[in-house]
Amino acid sequence: FKWELSDAEHCKGCVYMSELGMIPRERMVFAPRDGSTPCRTNCKCQLHMSVVAEKEYKQALSRCPSVEAIKAAMRRITHR
């Protein structure tokens, strides 16, 4: 998945998720408008899903932070 920023003002949570680039399905713990980003349900971002070759998937998996690291970063951003 890729978190795509829309033509709107962006909260720090959405910018963070977007900067992660390609996020493997099992590490996609948040979604736009699920209330977990500072913009809450006002989020205008979208998720784009891509089917990729195994090699590209493994590269994304090795580059992407763990679920725990993503959650911790979002907690810091949202001050929860």
Side-chain angles (χ1 to χ4, degrees), residues 3-11 14-15 18 32-33 39 42-48:
W3 190 287
E4 295 286 338
L5 300 174
S6 65
D7 293 332
E9 254 184 73
H10 302 105
C11 72
C14 288
V15 171
S18 174
R33 294 171 297 290
C39 58
N42 274 337
C43 186
K44 305 296 185 219
C45 297
Q46 298 179 354
L47 285 182
H48 290 270

Side-chain angles (χ1 to χ4, degrees), residues 10 12-13 15-16 18 32 37 39 41 43 50 53 56 59 73 76:
H10 302 105
K12 291 180 181 180
V15 171
Y16 168 75
S18 174
T37 58
C39 58
T41 57
C43 186
S50 298
E56 188 176 353
Q59 289 171 342
R76 285 191 301 275

Side-chain angles (χ1 to χ4, degrees), residues 47-67:
L47 285 182
H48 290 270
M49 185 177 78
S50 298
V51 177
V52 297
E54 185 177 356
K55 181 179 178 182
E56 188 176 353
Y57 171 79
K58 286 181 178 180
Q59 289 171 342
L61 195 58
S62 68
R63 181 198 45 72
C64 187
S66 68
V67 168

Side-chain angles (χ1 to χ4, degrees), residues 14-35:
C14 288
V15 171
Y16 168 75
M17 293 300 291
S18 174
E19 288 175 349
L20 291 177
M22 186 182 296
I23 306 168
R25 178 184 64 236
E26 61 269 20
R27 303 233 178 125
M28 181 53 77
V29 294
F30 302 116
R33 294 171 297 290
D34 72 356

